[in-house]
Amino acid sequence: MEPAVSLAVCALLFLLWVRVKGLEFVLIHQRWVFVCLFLLPLSLIFDIYYYVRAWVVFKLSSAPRLHEQRVRDIQKQVREWKEQGSKTFMCTGRPGWLTVSLRVGKYKKTHKNIMINLMDILEVDTKKQIVRVEPLVTMGQVTALLTSIGWTLPVLPELDDLTVGGLIMGTGIESSSHKYGLFQHICTAYELVLADGSFVRCTPSENSDLFYAVPWSCGTLGFLVAAEIRIIPAKKYVKLRFEPVYGLEAICDRFTRESQRQENHFVEGLLYSLEEAVIMTGVMTDEAEPGKDIIPFGNNPVFRYLFGWMVPPKISLLKLTQGETLRKLYEQHHVVQDMLVPMKCLPQALHTFHSDIHVYPIWLCPFILPSQPGLVHPKGNEAELYVDIGAYGEPRVKHFEARSCMRQLEKFVRSVHGFQMLYADCYMDREEFWEMFDGSLYHRLRKQLGCQDAFPEVYDKICKAARH
């Protein structure tokens, strides 16, 4: 009981302190206290609930039986919206703070919210090597289930709270993407409810235009209700190799070579300056080699029990409690961006990141981009190796101003036929946005499927210039 009493006393003292200082002061200046005492335990409770629920639902096989009923309910909501005169755009009813993106969508308050309670794994078919899931299934759910039966996703984004729907309608990447592409490229089928309430299934050979237009569309072509995703056999361990590399030319050359080696199951890099980087490569294996740990007792059950559960807190809970003042501080003094550029432009891109925002370390993740229809594809007619340059932190350039600096960076990315991930703040105007992305198929389908009065254009949904 003593730990519980101590925790209760700490919580009481914290509440008294908040009362004296004021909640806004504490959230801005002493946020770590609030996160450690409240958000970390709350994150654990969330995880326990969702994992237990997912396990029970899958074991009882109730999800497939209820799925069709839930889809019919979504169709009913859409048809009722249509019968009521289609007065506003539609969007999912999922609260904006639950998404992993740091952007809070204000459109949720003005659009017709369609409730989509689809959060279960429907089927695992190891013969066809496919898992069929609902859109709100998270990477944590998928990992827990598939690894227990010896399988995994070819591209498995590492944040447990990322959802299948977000990774399809937005995008997803991981250190295996040099072999398999983006998350959309391991998907084999999508099921959607369209603007007129009808249901459609699309694959590369069935309703193929819609299949290729859905990724990156941010829910502006229809409501995703299920997806089929490739799975591959998993091994017990990953053997990692960490290699320090010095000098920008050597860093780019070595990173490119390792990204082209198909025997590497995983490739990524961390850039600490223009002259220092660590390149990491990994292969899956069933044999673990003995070695020394940085924390020798890190795998001790007592250590893991006491401290292992504490990090990281859920981004959704951080967003829910940040407040408007803190949001503006993050916007002006913090960068969270992923820019996707051709690998051949990596040296030039790193110089640009250095001069425009100067955020380190920088994450480097290679991926193969197939030549397929849709919003994102290489300039030529052949697949091309790209790299995701991820910058997350406080800019160290003098007189950093978010809008002007990011517009400068976006201009460079457009000039090399690169792409900006749409979860992050985007400052382009409409013309610049459609210079970056190929909207030919997207706009044709929006007109063909009657989306123009049902869903906002993707630009209007995510870009700051459209929302201010």
Side-chain angles (χ1 to χ4, degrees):
M1 288 292 293
E2 290 183 4
V5 172
S6 300
L7 186 62
V9 171
C10 290
L12 180 60
L13 292 174
F14 175 73
L15 291 174
L16 290 173
W17 182 47
V18 170
R19 184 176 178 83
V20 173
K21 288 289 190 178
L23 181 60
E24 185 174 17
F25 175 89
V26 173
L27 289 179
I28 294 174
H29 298 285
Q30 304 294 335
R31 188 158 172 76
W32 67 269
V33 179
F34 181 77
V35 170
C36 290
L37 288 181
F38 291 95
L39 295 194
L40 285 174
L42 194 57
S43 296
L44 178 66
I45 293 170
F46 265 62
D47 284 338
I48 291 173
Y49 167 75
Y50 283 114
Y51 286 145
V52 170
R53 181 195 175 280
W55 183 84
V56 171
V57 166
F58 190 78
K59 289 297 182 182
L60 295 178
S61 299
S62 60
R65 293 197 302 270
L66 295 174
H67 177 71
E68 291 186 8
Q69 177 184 329
R70 291 170 178 164
V71 172
R72 286 195 296 271
D73 179 64
I74 295 168
Q75 291 179 284
K76 180 182 177 183
Q77 292 180 67
V78 173
R79 287 167 181 152
E80 286 175 351
W81 163 83
K82 197 171 182 67
E83 290 168 1
Q84 293 167 3
S86 312
K87 296 177 183 178
T88 61
F89 289 136
M90 291 183 288
C91 68
T92 65
R94 189 181 187 221
W97 61 268
L98 276 174
T99 63
V100 172
S101 169
L102 295 178
R103 183 177 60 243
V104 177
K106 297 180 180 179
Y107 60 85
K108 296 280 185 179
K109 297 179 180 179
T110 58
H111 294 183
K112 170 66 176 177
N113 282 215
I114 303 298
M115 302 310 298
I116 298 182
N117 184 28
L118 299 172
M119 53 195 302
D120 294 313
I121 297 173
L122 301 173
E123 178 186 8
V124 178
D125 189 330
T126 55
K127 290 184 178 179
K128 294 182 179 178
Q129 299 193 2
I130 290 293
V131 59
R132 182 168 175 255
V133 301
E134 293 179 328
L136 295 182
V137 165
T138 67
M139 291 298 99
Q141 285 175 261
V142 172
T143 302
L145 176 63
L146 290 182
T147 54
S148 69
I149 58 175
W151 293 80
T152 188
L153 298 181
V155 177
L156 183 61
E158 63 186 11
L159 295 179
D160 279 354
D161 289 343
L162 291 169
T163 64
V164 167
L167 293 167
I168 291 170
M169 291 295 187
T171 191
I173 191 171
E174 200 39 75
S175 53
S176 57
S177 289
H178 68 295
K179 288 171 66 74
Y180 299 104
L182 300 173
F183 190 84
Q184 69 201 61
H185 300 126
I186 65 168
C187 296
T188 61
Y190 307 129
E191 298 172 20
L192 300 102
V193 171
L194 301 180
D196 61 356
S198 63
F199 171 86
V200 64
R201 182 175 186 272
C202 53
T203 71
S205 59
E206 175 187 7
N207 298 310
S208 60
D209 281 353
L210 184 57
F211 177 81
Y212 290 116
V214 162
W216 294 73
S217 65
C218 297
T220 60
L221 291 173
F223 294 109
L224 184 70
V225 295
E228 293 178 10
I229 311 168
R230 290 171 54 199
I231 59 176
I232 58 174
K235 295 186 178 182
K236 292 181 181 179
Y237 308 103
V238 173
K239 180 180 179 181
L240 287 175
R241 176 183 173 86
F242 296 80
E243 182 179 3
V245 185
Y246 302 96
L248 184 61
E249 183 177 352
I251 291 169
C252 293
D253 287 347
R254 188 56 184 263
F255 186 72
T256 301
R257 288 201 309 271
E258 295 296 345
S259 301
Q260 293 170 336
R261 293 179 60 195
Q262 292 300 295
E263 56 266 38
N264 286 330
H265 296 154
F266 307 96
V267 179
E268 60 184 323
L270 285 176
L271 189 77
Y272 295 96
S273 73
L274 284 181
E275 299 298 322
E276 301 172 289
V278 172
I279 296 174
M280 294 158 279
T281 57
V283 293
M284 289 193 285
T285 178
D286 284 323
E287 302 297 328
E289 298 178 4
K292 294 182 180 180
D293 292 325
I294 294 175
I295 303 177
F297 50 85
N299 281 319
N300 183 281
V302 176
F303 178 86
R304 293 177 68 87
Y305 175 78
L306 291 176
F307 302 106
W309 61 271
M310 291 189 68
V311 293
K314 288 186 176 294
I315 293 175
S316 56
L317 295 179
L318 291 172
K319 284 173 62 181
L320 180 63
T321 58
Q322 70 180 359
E324 186 63 19
T325 302
L326 198 60
R327 186 193 67 78
K328 288 182 179 178
L329 284 173
Y330 276 129
E331 183 178 304
Q332 284 301 322
H333 303 286
H334 201 81
V335 165
V336 179
Q337 290 284 348
D338 284 83
M339 298 292 188
L340 317 180
V341 302
M343 184 68 80
K344 62 190 178 187
C345 302
L346 180 58
Q348 184 184 0
L350 294 179
H351 274 294
T352 303
F353 268 73
H354 181 85
S355 60
D356 287 355
I357 57 175
H358 203 277
V359 171
Y360 289 101
I362 282 176
W363 184 54
L364 302 176
C365 185
F367 68 100
I368 191 70
L369 185 60
S371 180
Q372 296 175 345
L375 287 163
V376 170
H377 56 76
K379 189 173 184 179
N381 296 321
E382 296 182 357
E384 185 172 352
L385 189 63
Y386 271 61
V387 56
D388 174 3
I389 304 177
Y392 325 107
E394 185 175 357
R396 287 181 283 175
V397 293
K398 291 183 179 180
H399 312 300
F400 174 79
E401 197 280 319
R403 186 179 184 277
S404 60
C405 289
M406 290 315 305
R407 280 188 55 77
Q408 196 167 320
L409 194 57
E410 290 167 347
K411 181 179 180 181
F412 165 76
V413 173
R414 290 196 306 274
S415 73
V416 296
H417 198 75
F419 310 95
Q420 179 181 21
M421 281 198 185
L422 301 184
Y423 78 88
D425 285 336
C426 176
Y427 293 86
M428 292 180 284
D429 62 32
R430 194 179 304 272
E431 183 179 352
E432 292 165 341
F433 183 86
W434 292 117
E435 178 187 339
M436 177 178 286
F437 297 96
D438 181 358
S440 55
L441 176 61
Y442 172 78
H443 289 302
R444 176 163 62 82
L445 280 176
R446 273 181 59 84
K447 185 175 181 180
Q448 179 182 320
L449 298 175
C451 298
Q452 291 160 319
D453 295 325
F455 307 105
E457 184 184 296
V458 62
Y459 173 80
D460 295 306
K461 193 170 183 179
I462 64 99
C463 284
K464 278 187 169 291
R467 294 183 286 117
H468 290 279

